[in-house]
Amino acid sequence: MTAMAWQGSPPAEDHPRATASEPGASRRWLPALIITTSLFFLWGMANNLNDILIAQFRKAFTLSDFGTSFVQQVFYFGYFVFAIPASIVLRRFGYKVAIVTGLLLYGAGALLFYPAAAISAYQLFLLALFIIAAGLAFLETSANPLMTELGDPATATRRLNWAQAANPFGAITGIMIGRNFILSGIEHDEATLAGMDAAARAAFYRAEVQAVATPYLAIAVIVLLFALATAFTAFPRAAAPRIDAGAARNERFADLLRHPRLTGAVIAQFCYVGAQVGLWSYTIRYAQGALGWSERQGADMLFVSLVLFAGGRFVGTTLMTWIAPVRLLTIFAGISALLAMTAALVGGAIGLYALVATSFFMSIQFPTIFALGVETLGPLRRLGSSLIIMAIIGGAVLTGVIGFVSDRAGIAAAMLVPAACFVVVTAYALRARRTA
């Protein structure tokens, strides 16, 4: 089968009529493939550093659980706002321009952490996170469809899962950076803080805020170097297909609503991302509230969660050799719902371990929902992918809901929200199985 068309307007070295299926193409596009796979690592690192920031900002700015949820609300709202612009840039200018744009925005947002820390402004941190998320919207909108197009559509789900295996390694790296270079391990109770003089208390808060600056400056340098490397790397494309009036009509977003597999994927992805972001955002908080653990002990459990997530990605992707992806999604989402319910209703150590174990079964859900959603779209694949990326706003909305419930009913009860989300994903998988 011939490769899907590569779109965009690359420079001369990109050879506009080359395709990924031509002899020697794998070697020729190896640098581009390495960069594309690295993007999954880079946005995994950014996403999971937010889980550390939630714990850090709760202490440094004395915030409620709902107040800390603005870290994720602003972050995933950035995804939502920039998903369609990213799709437009991708379609008009191609993969290279979209990826470079995303990396530049990512780097700019990371650089903004320095002045935000200097003036101890929570709002400026939120702006920085919004800019980072804008960049990640460009990266995800580009990298996900790129991986599904590189080869046989029959193996697109497995190929995307293998590429996304770099994502949990980035997430683990983010947690280790946060645990060792951001979290100080100093946790004063209210009585201790009240006993400090004003200068000592101000110095404590200032040190906690400034702890985030150096790690993000280092990340900015790395990301901007990737942007430079991308600018000098050739990306393949094919001659743009002729578009007749009927095809042009099919490019409208309204026509995507005629594909129930896609609309169901958007809803399922909204719920899944909300559940994943909410669970990881409040794992440290759950460990503190349910067991009285320190922030670093909670971060250790978050680290274990991400190791399980990475292991689940490899195990799940391997199982897809024998089990249909949609069936495996049904099983994994159902188990995730049961584990989240256990965390909500049992609590304590058992609840925490159930919460951590959920990560193993979350591992394949995002890429599998994504691949199922775009599977039958044909020329609408890129447009449909941007709608699924927009559904990432579930991370903003549902994390806020979890924080709101936690402030009123406790962190354990708040886990009923992700449990309900996994039920929705299970229902989508069951329906997709019937229409496969």
Side-chain angles (χ1 to χ4, degrees):
M1 158 168 201
T2 59
M4 298 288 291
W6 295 87
Q7 297 199 2
S9 301
E13 73 270 13
D14 287 358
H15 293 275
R17 295 190 181 276
T19 68
S21 61
E22 291 179 353
S26 296
R27 291 189 300 274
R28 176 169 185 79
W29 308 125
L30 182 59
L33 290 174
I34 291 172
I35 287 175
T36 303
T37 303
S38 298
L39 300 181
F40 290 86
F41 178 93
L42 289 174
W43 77 60
M45 182 170 60
N47 286 331
N48 288 92
L49 264 169
N50 288 352
D51 304 326
I52 297 295
L53 291 179
I54 283 175
Q56 185 71 1
F57 289 159
R58 188 176 194 274
K59 176 174 60 173
F61 293 108
T62 59
L63 300 171
S64 66
D65 287 338
F66 180 71
T68 62
S69 74
F70 280 97
V71 168
Q72 302 290 28
Q73 290 189 54
V74 167
F75 191 81
Y76 287 95
F77 184 66
Y79 268 105
F80 178 79
V81 169
F82 283 91
I84 291 178
S87 177
I88 293 171
V89 170
L90 174 61
R91 294 168 60 207
R92 175 66 181 85
F93 299 105
Y95 287 111
K96 176 185 286 191
V97 172
I99 291 171
V100 170
T101 300
L103 290 169
L104 290 176
L105 286 169
Y106 185 170
L111 287 174
L112 193 56
F113 265 63
Y114 186 80
I119 63 174
S120 296
Y122 184 47
Q123 294 81 356
L124 192 54
F125 280 118
L126 296 180
L127 175 61
L129 289 168
F130 180 81
I131 294 171
I132 290 174
L136 300 191
F138 277 84
L139 299 184
E140 293 211 36
T141 300
S142 303
N144 281 295
L146 174 56
M147 295 309 300
T148 64
E149 291 180 16
L150 284 172
D152 185 352
T155 59
T157 301
R158 263 189 293 159
R159 190 165 56 252
L160 182 57
N161 270 279
W162 281 121
Q164 288 238 11
N167 185 263
F169 286 107
I172 290 170
T173 301
I175 294 302
M176 294 307 294
I177 290 171
R179 185 198 183 282
N180 294 299
F181 298 103
I182 293 179
L183 296 178
S184 65
I186 301 172
E187 301 175 71
H188 296 312
D189 57 26
E190 292 183 6
T192 302
L193 288 170
M196 292 180 175
D197 61 52
R201 190 163 52 248
F204 167 71
Y205 287 133
R206 185 167 56 252
E208 294 298 323
V209 171
Q210 291 178 346
V212 304
T214 300
Y216 272 87
L217 282 177
I219 290 169
V221 171
I222 293 169
V223 168
L224 293 175
L225 287 175
F226 265 97
L228 184 64
T230 303
F232 288 95
T233 299
F235 279 74
R237 68 181 283 262
R242 292 183 178 178
I243 304 296
D244 58 22
R249 181 183 62 81
N250 285 335
E251 288 294 308
R252 296 202 305 259
F253 273 101
D255 292 321
L256 292 172
L257 300 180
R258 301 176 183 176
H259 295 266
R261 177 77 71 85
L262 173 67
T263 54
V266 170
I267 296 169
Q269 204 72 289
F270 177 92
C271 292
Y272 168 72
V273 174
Q276 183 202 77
V277 173
L279 285 179
W280 287 347
S281 294
Y282 291 108
T283 294
I284 296 175
R285 180 76 180 92
Y286 191 100
Q288 291 173 317
L291 297 171
W293 286 9
S294 70
E295 60 184 12
R296 285 191 168 180
Q297 287 177 306
D300 289 338
M301 295 307 294
L302 184 56
F303 174 80
V304 173
S305 297
L306 295 173
V307 171
L308 290 174
F309 185 81
R313 176 63 54 78
F314 284 105
V315 172
T317 304
T318 302
L319 287 174
M320 287 180 189
T321 305
W322 302 283
I323 303 174
V326 65
R327 184 176 183 183
L328 197 64
L329 176 63
T330 306
I331 296 169
F332 274 34
I335 294 173
S336 297
L338 292 174
L339 289 171
M341 287 180 189
T342 301
L345 301 177
V346 177
I350 293 175
L352 178 61
Y353 298 146
L355 191 69
V356 171
T358 305
S359 292
F360 181 91
F361 299 98
M362 291 195 300
S363 56
I364 63 148
Q365 293 185 47
F366 181 95
T368 304
I369 293 169
F370 185 96
L372 290 172
V374 302
E375 188 174 46
T376 60
L377 294 183
L380 293 175
R381 181 183 293 261
R382 289 183 179 86
L383 211 56
S385 71
S386 67
L387 284 184
I388 298 178
I389 295 299
M390 286 176 67
I392 289 175
I393 197 175
V397 176
L398 296 175
T399 301
V401 173
I402 293 171
F404 182 84
V405 174
S406 178
D407 285 337
R408 284 153 182 78
I411 189 63
M415 293 302 108
L416 287 172
V417 177
C421 291
F422 289 125
V423 170
V424 173
V425 176
T426 305
Y428 169 72
L430 287 169
R431 181 179 179 184
R433 285 181 65 185
R434 290 195 297 267
T435 60

